[in-house]
Amino acid sequence: NGATEFYAQTWYEGMKTRGNSSLNPYFYGEFLAASKPGQPALRSSKQAYQADAVSSMTQLAATNFNVTRTFRLEWQPGPGGRIDWFSKGYKIG
């Protein structure tokens, strides 16, 4: 279909998002090599590592920034596991 396939969509099988959320393909499984001159983080070649992360993005409305909000995260690990976000006690998505 001509669409580029991001690693974030294939790294873990069965990942799904709902509502106005989507996987974040730019924060996913990055190799963090030795620091280059001028970078704020100092990491030697012996400290290089493969980062593994799952990231998803959800669009927030402008009204989310008018007052203080309380968010909650619930994580259910294992096969069939999931991450659920809540705002003001209501599940998002």
Side-chain angles (χ1 to χ4, degrees), residues 11-12 27-32 48-54:
W11 193 272
Y12 293 104
F27 184 71
Y28 208 86
E30 183 177 348
F31 180 73
L32 298 162
Y49 65 96
Q50 176 70 43
D52 188 10
V54 176

Side-chain angles (χ1 to χ4, degrees), residues 33-83:
S35 302
K36 295 179 182 173
Q39 288 184 325
L42 300 176
R43 187 173 42 253
S44 72
S45 59
K46 289 184 178 184
Q47 295 170 317
Y49 65 96
Q50 176 70 43
D52 188 10
V54 176
S55 179
S56 184
M57 302 177 287
T58 296
Q59 297 296 316
L60 296 175
T63 56
N64 282 285
F65 302 95
N66 295 339
V67 296
T68 302
R69 302 274 183 193
T70 300
F71 290 93
R72 182 175 90 229
L73 170 76
E74 291 185 3
W75 173 39
Q76 301 295 321
R82 65 181 191 277
I83 296 173

